Amino acid sequence: MTRYAFRTPMLAVAAMLMGAAIVLRMLVPAAPMWAPALILLSAIAIGMVALTRYAASCENAPPALQRRYTREMLIGMGSYTVLLFVSLLWLRELEAPALRAVVALLPVAPIALVLRAMVRFIRGVDELQQRIELEAICIAAALVSFAYMTGGFLQAARVIDVPSSAAMLWVFPLVCGTYGVAKSVVARRYR
């Protein structure tokens, strides 16, 4: 595999997310402004990582594992994007709380598939790569938890006012983005 084997799939995910942000804004104008902004920010972050040398941070994985991971991630993220739109469109027309809950949770299943792909990838790499992954996720979880707690204190003091739904939806993308940055820093230590 080439040094930048993950560049194309990462750029595909970035393009898919960018398209999702645009379509969301056009199809669901009533959606909160932060929703397409969050998706667009994720697309930009993934695209930036894909265009840097850090796209090769998984190059130590066996080619079959890399292909499986890429396939599972693309399927999961593609399904997430589709189900997010479906759910947002249906939620505009549904009134029953139980049905609204089911429809609102539709995008959660593909995210579970993405998490499963990540765990399978980590289990398939060697011990050094597992250590890098573990350190990176620990750093990401700690930093995002610290930021979330800090925001909670500022919210409680009425210094800031962030809608709870927006704050909750930002946690996972922030952990993923922080994990990517932490992984590049941690991996550099072991080179």
Side-chain angles (χ1 to χ4, degrees):
M1 281 226 134
T2 64
R3 177 173 163 81
Y4 295 101
F6 280 118
R7 178 175 281 179
T8 303
M10 288 175 72
L11 287 173
V13 168
M16 188 173 15
L17 288 172
M18 196 167 292
I22 293 167
V23 170
L24 176 63
R25 192 73 205 131
M26 292 169 56
L27 287 182
V28 189
M33 280 300 292
W34 55 263
L38 173 65
I39 296 171
L40 187 61
L41 214 83
S42 301
I44 291 169
I46 290 170
M48 287 174 51
V49 169
L51 295 175
T52 66
R53 61 190 170 113
Y54 301 119
S57 63
C58 299
E59 67 185 17
N60 296 333
L65 179 63
Q66 289 179 359
R67 283 191 301 275
R68 183 185 74 193
Y69 176 71
T70 302
R71 183 180 60 250
E72 290 176 353
M73 288 296 284
L74 288 175
I75 289 169
M77 291 306 293
S79 301
Y80 168 75
T81 304
V82 169
L83 288 175
L84 178 64
F85 290 126
V86 168
S87 120
L88 289 172
L89 290 172
W90 279 356
L91 285 173
R92 293 191 311 185
E93 300 178 18
L94 296 174
E95 295 298 326
L99 193 54
R100 287 182 63 80
V102 169
V103 171
L105 293 176
L106 283 176
V108 173
I111 294 300
L113 292 175
V114 168
L115 292 172
R116 177 179 173 256
M118 294 167 78
V119 169
R120 288 179 64 175
F121 177 81
I122 292 170
R123 286 183 174 162
V125 295
D126 63 21
E127 290 83 9
L128 176 60
Q129 189 65 36
Q130 286 178 348
R131 181 180 179 138
I132 291 169
E133 303 286 343
L134 176 65
E135 283 185 41
I137 197 65
C138 287
I139 291 168
L143 290 175
V144 172
S145 296
F146 181 76
Y148 198 78
M149 184 180 67
T150 302
F153 285 129
L154 291 173
Q155 180 109 359
R158 293 189 178 94
V159 174
I160 61 173
D161 186 27
V162 178
S164 60
S165 61
M168 289 175 158
L169 288 171
W170 272 95
V171 172
F172 183 67
L174 282 174
V175 169
C176 290
T178 307
Y179 158 76
V181 172
K183 181 176 174 179
S184 65
V185 171
V186 171
R188 198 178 305 162
R189 241 189 318 150
Y190 291 101
R191 289 186 187 161

